[in-house]
Amino acid sequence: MAPRPARRRVAVVGTGAIVTGSHLPALAAHADRAELVAAVDVDPARLDAFRAQAPGDVAGYSSTGAMLDAVRPDLVLVGTPPSLHREQTVAALGAGAWVLCEKPLCLSLAEYDDIAAAEEASGAYASVIFQHRYGSGAAHARQLIASGELGAPLVAHCQTTWHRDAAYYAVPWRGRWSTEGGGPTMGHGIHQYDLLLHLLGPWAEIRAMASRLVHDTESEDVSTALVRFESGALATVVNSVLSPDETSRIRVDCADATVELTHLYGHRNDDWTYTPARHVAPARAAAWRTPAADVPSSHTAQLGAVLDAWDAGVRPPGSGPQARTTLEFAAALYKAAFTGRPVRAGEITAGDPFYGAMHGDHPGWAPGGRARHAAKA
């Protein structure tokens, strides 16, 4: 047998809750293939606390540039606020490191294309954390849909109905276009509709609405959309931070079965159900049961997929066209909501105001032009 590749040397940029709560356990689960060697944070106390918690001798740095120069890591995990993602990702790619970055990978399609250019120049890759794709339940559902076993997809619902209070938005970078990139469309529901796109494939057209109903933010606190997929399937998408009874849900009605996922922040096999149509034989439906192996959707599962791609010498999942498609969907939802007209896949290109920013410089939504009313043309 060929020897297992040496452990990848990993650095984290940002040492807040998402890194300590999700990235550290993922690294521990893959300790045979990845070793944490460095951490970056502008807050010395937080950095020291993280280094004390992390296993081994982790070097600490106050800037990404200094860390990259000194350590030259193989893989950089980015867990900072969204406005920093593009700059830190491009810097890491320039140093030859692969990147696994929290969502959103960047704040606009223009910033994404900067990252794509950095990938091309360096030969390294940048993936975005969309961990819901990587659970065994999601993989199983995607295979059943893609194979045609459930019949043609016809109708779908994608629901992220969460609740965030005023204290949540007291954090300075939240609810602002320049620092968060948008509201629940970018920061909350993006996980769920990324999974919807993963299950149903390319989308063709979107119509949408958005509003600020409660929170005094630049961006929306709720958005809704109607989506037509290339397959002809129709879907609804709801992204809310106004919902006391919180849930995350996807339902896909196919010709021969309904597949449903209901969870909150992560799913296991038991969160997926399959309901056969009346004409489906019981033996056929029994074969749809979720697999015996139960892999939760998690950073651990996605990090494993990235390391597998590295070992195989191929582009990792969650990068390249996959990452851009989900970001384009967000931009199209905002454009459709703010202009009041349908948006087709591929129409937002350089020169379009929604290419450079999710608010598209639209009156009433762009910074400095806030108005507490539903978006209108």
Side-chain angles (χ1 to χ4, degrees):
M1 293 179 60
R4 175 180 288 276
R7 288 200 296 171
R8 309 297 179 184
R9 300 170 67 253
V10 181
V12 295
V13 179
T15 61
I18 193 65
V19 173
T20 58
S22 297
H23 288 283
L24 269 187
L27 287 167
H30 295 287
D32 59 332
R33 296 202 284 169
E35 176 187 12
L36 181 62
V37 297
V40 178
D41 204 299
V42 296
D43 184 330
R46 188 166 56 203
L47 179 60
D48 288 345
F50 177 83
R51 293 174 67 199
Q53 177 183 354
D57 184 16
V58 177
Y61 297 88
S62 61
S63 76
T64 303
M67 181 275 293
L68 292 171
D69 288 342
V71 178
R72 310 301 290 188
D74 299 310
L75 174 64
V76 174
L77 308 179
V78 177
T80 52
S83 62
L84 303 173
H85 289 178
R86 183 203 64 83
E87 178 183 357
Q88 292 166 343
T89 296
V90 167
L93 291 169
W98 284 30
V99 177
L100 184 55
C101 179
E102 283 298 323
K103 57 79 185 164
L105 179 59
C106 52
L107 302 188
S108 68
L109 289 170
E111 287 194 355
Y112 174 85
D113 288 344
D114 288 343
I115 292 172
E119 279 191 333
E120 181 69 22
S122 68
Y125 299 111
S127 296
V128 59
I129 290 284
F130 284 135
Q131 71 270 23
H132 294 327
R133 289 186 176 209
Y134 298 91
S136 52
H140 183 65
R142 185 171 189 255
Q143 190 278 326
L144 288 175
I145 293 171
S147 69
E149 173 58 28
L150 304 183
L154 303 172
V155 183
H157 305 279
C158 178
Q159 174 185 350
T160 304
T161 42
W162 294 357
H163 190 270
R164 298 295 183 265
D165 59 15
Y168 176 86
Y169 284 105
V171 176
W173 57 265
R174 288 180 176 147
R176 298 167 58 89
W177 294 109
S178 63
T179 48
E180 193 172 21
T185 306
M186 277 285 274
H188 304 84
I190 194 168
H191 278 299
Q192 226 57 230
Y193 62 72
D194 173 76
L195 180 54
L196 182 74
L197 297 174
H198 187 58
L199 294 174
L200 294 187
W203 62 277
E205 179 184 340
I206 185 168
R207 301 165 186 254
M209 293 190 291
S211 191
R212 305 182 194 95
L213 297 180
V214 173
H215 296 291
D216 184 19
T217 55
E218 288 184 346
S219 53
E220 84 290 356
D221 55 17
V222 61
S223 69
T224 63
L226 301 175
V227 185
R228 187 187 307 277
F229 284 82
E230 285 188 2
S231 66
L234 299 180
T236 64
V237 177
V238 178
N239 308 296
S240 167
V241 289
L242 308 179
S243 308
D245 184 9
E246 296 186 294
T247 193
S248 305
R249 184 168 179 260
I250 286 178
R251 170 176 170 147
V252 180
D253 294 320
C254 300
D256 294 342
T258 293
V259 54
E260 294 179 90
L261 165 66
T262 303
H263 66 117
L264 187 55
Y265 298 138
H267 56 79
R268 305 187 71 107
N269 285 355
D270 285 348
D271 298 315
W272 294 81
T273 61
Y274 293 85
T275 303
R278 294 174 183 174
H279 63 267
V280 172
R284 179 183 170 198
W288 301 339
R289 293 194 185 101
T290 51
D294 189 1
V295 179
S297 64
S298 63
H299 287 62
T300 297
Q302 183 164 0
L303 177 60
V306 169
L307 294 172
D308 288 345
W310 202 330
D311 292 346
V314 298
R315 172 179 283 281
S319 68
Q322 289 183 6
R324 196 182 198 283
T325 293
T326 302
L327 195 67
E328 183 192 7
F329 185 91
L333 194 157
Y334 281 122
K335 182 176 181 178
F338 296 170
T339 65
R341 68 172 186 79
V343 175
R344 297 187 179 279
E347 80 169 56
I348 302 177
T349 57
D352 188 304
F354 289 88
Y355 174 80
M358 292 292 169
H359 55 70
D361 291 323
H362 194 273
W365 287 100
R370 293 188 295 168
R372 293 179 61 84
H373 55 71
K376 296 181 180 179

